[in-house]
Amino acid sequence: MPPPVQPALPVFVNLGPRSYLVQVGRDLLKTLGEEVNQKLPDRVKCAVVTDSNVGPLYAETVIKSLRAVGKEPHLITVPAGESSKSLSWSESVLGEMVRFGLDRKSFLVALGGGVIGDLGGFCASIYQRGIPYVQVPTTVLSQVDSSVGGKTGVNLPDAKNMVGCFHQPVHVIADLDTLNSLPKREWNEGFAEIIKHACIRDASMFTAIQDVAEGKGDIVGLIRRNIAIKAAIVEADEYETIGTRALLNFGHTLGHAIEAAAGYGKLLHGEAISLGLRAAAWLSTQIAELTAEDYEHIVALLKLFDLPVRLPDDFDTETLMRIARMDKKFENGKIRFVLLRKIGDAYVSKDVLEGHLKQALDELRK
Ligand code: NAD
Ligand code: GLY
């Protein structure tokens, strides 16, 4: 008989009084109630915020598990997709929370991908000036990135993540079994953020990523490794004030502009970031020391997951630049742009000018 599969160790996010664990493994939804109860024993009423794809698949298990430990969950479902990450959907979720009688002693469970994590976390951060929330990420992208670190928020029509708060979750439960229902396109988009982590922090992860692409890798190990990278960066710079956390924005300046310009939901977040990663890697060959060989390696890895690396012709440079200028990474007309010296070694540069971004967009069209 093969030995029993050992559960992956949880990742501890050490943020003093805001510390929490990220559970990562399989078959975790059934015991979610017990986990949550250990963390929030005195809180009973809760909102389970989910979307129209994830709710029908997993909400019943989550609700049952919460009820089994005496919690009183209320399900709130928003339409699937990036358009729900908006002020108007926040208002609707908050209104439901009032109607369900949630108070300051209540809590929220965000069950879904990054959209639900960001929207649910944002609602938890402002409801009655803040209630605790638990992240239950169900996409590769949300497990390796958005569920950890406490960035919550919503989009404005023209600019991503423009309204939001830092509000750390009290617990994260990343159940890899939920990924079994993830469509291929959504599975692939998560690898944009994994490739980003490898680019900025861990060149040796390229091989592990390639193995997973070829169907022979250890996905639990890879996801845990990425959560640990994210946790370490957040621990070093929780509020993005000293530059370490800003490294996570590699590929995101143009990526966010492309995502917003396409119209939310047209390109998945990870797809837009894939284009942003190629642009940032190319700029790294022009302004920093990244070699052409390493640049080609990054592009090849993105292609391995069918991620887009060529900007469609209907994206107009001026529109993209207008949107990019509204990004939080533009300060007093200057851009804080993340470049690579080599794979695994990133830094925040002030040498990138608008002209460089336009050149990178031209390059992306090739
Ligand atoms: P998403 O939440 O929209 O999920 C993608 C799609 O997959 C949706 O249609 C969803 O309904 C569906 N889905 C989710 N889980 C599923 C499952 N298990 N089975 C079947 N279908 C499932 O998007 P995402 O890619 O997870 O996250 C993208 C969002 O995350 C963006 O808004 C981005 O800005 C945000 N983000 C936030 C941070 C952060 O630090 N807060 C970091 C990275 C990205
Ligand atoms: N996804 C960027 C960050 O968490 O800082």
Side-chain angles (χ1 to χ4, degrees):
M1 258 210 338
V5 178
Q6 295 298 320
L9 284 174
V11 177
F12 182 58
V13 188
N14 189 353
L15 297 170
R18 295 172 303 289
S19 297
Y20 51 96
L21 281 180
V22 184
Q23 296 288 357
V24 45
R26 298 196 179 276
D27 204 18
L28 300 178
L29 291 191
K30 279 199 289 224
T31 47
L32 175 146
E34 289 159 38
E35 289 267 334
V36 170
N37 202 34
Q38 276 179 25
K39 200 70 215 169
L40 301 169
D42 301 328
R43 293 178 185 255
V44 176
K45 283 192 178 178
C46 62
V48 176
V49 179
T50 191
D51 76 24
S52 52
N53 289 334
V54 178
L57 297 169
Y58 303 112
E60 198 182 321
T61 310
V62 168
I63 287 198
K64 217 166 134 188
S65 167
L66 286 164
R67 285 204 182 118
V69 294
K71 305 295 186 202
E72 291 174 20
H74 295 281
L75 187 63
I76 300 175
T77 306
V78 303
E82 187 72 26
S83 318
S84 291
K85 217 178 103 172
S86 67
L87 281 171
S88 57
W89 277 106
S90 310
E91 189 177 355
S92 160
V93 170
L94 293 164
E96 293 272 288
M97 289 163 72
V98 174
R99 277 188 287 285
F100 286 136
L102 267 66
D103 60 22
R104 290 176 63 198
K105 293 293 284 176
S106 305
F107 65 99
L108 185 148
V109 176
L111 170 67
V115 164
I116 291 302
D118 284 9
L119 171 72
F122 179 57
C123 291
S125 76
I126 55 175
Y127 189 71
Q128 302 205 8
R129 299 203 177 84
I131 60 170
Y133 74 113
V134 177
Q135 287 271 20
V136 188
T138 63
T139 60
V140 173
L141 186 143
S142 55
Q143 294 188 350
V144 300
D145 189 350
S146 59
S147 62
V148 177
K151 276 192 182 176
T152 76
V154 296
N155 305 320
L156 294 180
D158 249 2
K160 279 277 297 177
N161 300 336
M162 252 316 134
V163 182
C165 309
F166 284 100
H167 187 52
Q168 298 293 344
V170 295
H171 199 56
V172 182
I173 298 172
D175 183 344
L176 273 84
D177 282 344
T178 62
L179 304 181
N180 294 339
S181 54
L182 203 58
K184 188 77 182 153
R185 191 176 162 201
E186 281 74 7
W187 168 271
N188 283 340
E189 68 146 341
F191 282 84
E193 303 285 13
I194 290 180
I195 293 167
K196 174 192 82 178
H197 284 159
C199 286
I200 62 169
R201 267 295 159 106
D202 187 356
S204 70
M205 202 158 66
F206 267 45
T207 315
I209 299 171
Q210 215 152 330
D211 284 350
V212 166
E214 287 161 11
K216 57 181 188 194
D218 164 22
I219 183 68
V220 181
L222 185 65
I223 288 194
R224 191 187 179 284
R225 191 166 167 179
N226 276 273
I227 293 170
I229 290 176
K230 174 91 193 236
I233 291 178
V234 170
E235 285 172 358
D237 184 14
E238 183 179 1
Y239 297 109
E240 205 169 312
T241 47
I242 61 167
T244 315
R245 187 163 183 169
L247 301 180
L248 290 168
N249 295 328
F250 180 60
H252 281 56
T253 306
L254 287 174
H256 277 167
I258 292 167
E259 187 180 359
Y264 295 126
K266 299 261 172 40
L267 277 175
L268 296 176
H269 176 72
E271 293 172 342
I273 295 310
S274 171
L275 290 160
L277 289 175
R278 182 183 163 207
W282 180 77
L283 279 173
S284 301
T285 66
Q286 305 298 301
I287 301 171
E289 300 95 76
L290 189 75
T291 63
E293 196 189 358
D294 278 351
Y295 165 68
E296 292 301 341
H297 201 169
I298 295 168
V299 175
L301 210 51
L302 294 168
K303 283 186 183 164
L304 217 47
F305 290 92
D306 287 331
L307 287 163
V309 290
R310 197 185 155 274
L311 188 67
D313 293 331
D314 50 350
F315 283 85
D316 159 63
T317 296
E318 273 322 306
T319 309
L320 289 170
M321 291 308 302
R322 180 180 57 76
I323 297 175
R325 277 183 214 111
M326 287 186 269
D327 195 280
K328 299 191 290 307
K329 292 173 278 301
F330 271 64
E331 278 173 0
N332 302 325
K334 290 232 164 91
I335 316 169
R336 284 182 294 123
F337 200 93
V338 183
L339 295 175
L340 301 180
R341 292 186 190 94
K342 58 182 185 187
I343 294 175
D345 182 5
Y347 70 103
V348 179
S349 166
K350 295 238 172 85
D351 297 334
V352 178
L353 307 172
E354 283 201 26
H356 292 120
L357 297 190
K358 289 181 185 166
Q359 283 172 13
L361 289 171
D362 289 344
E363 189 65 25
L364 269 188
R365 294 194 172 89
K366 292 181 191 161

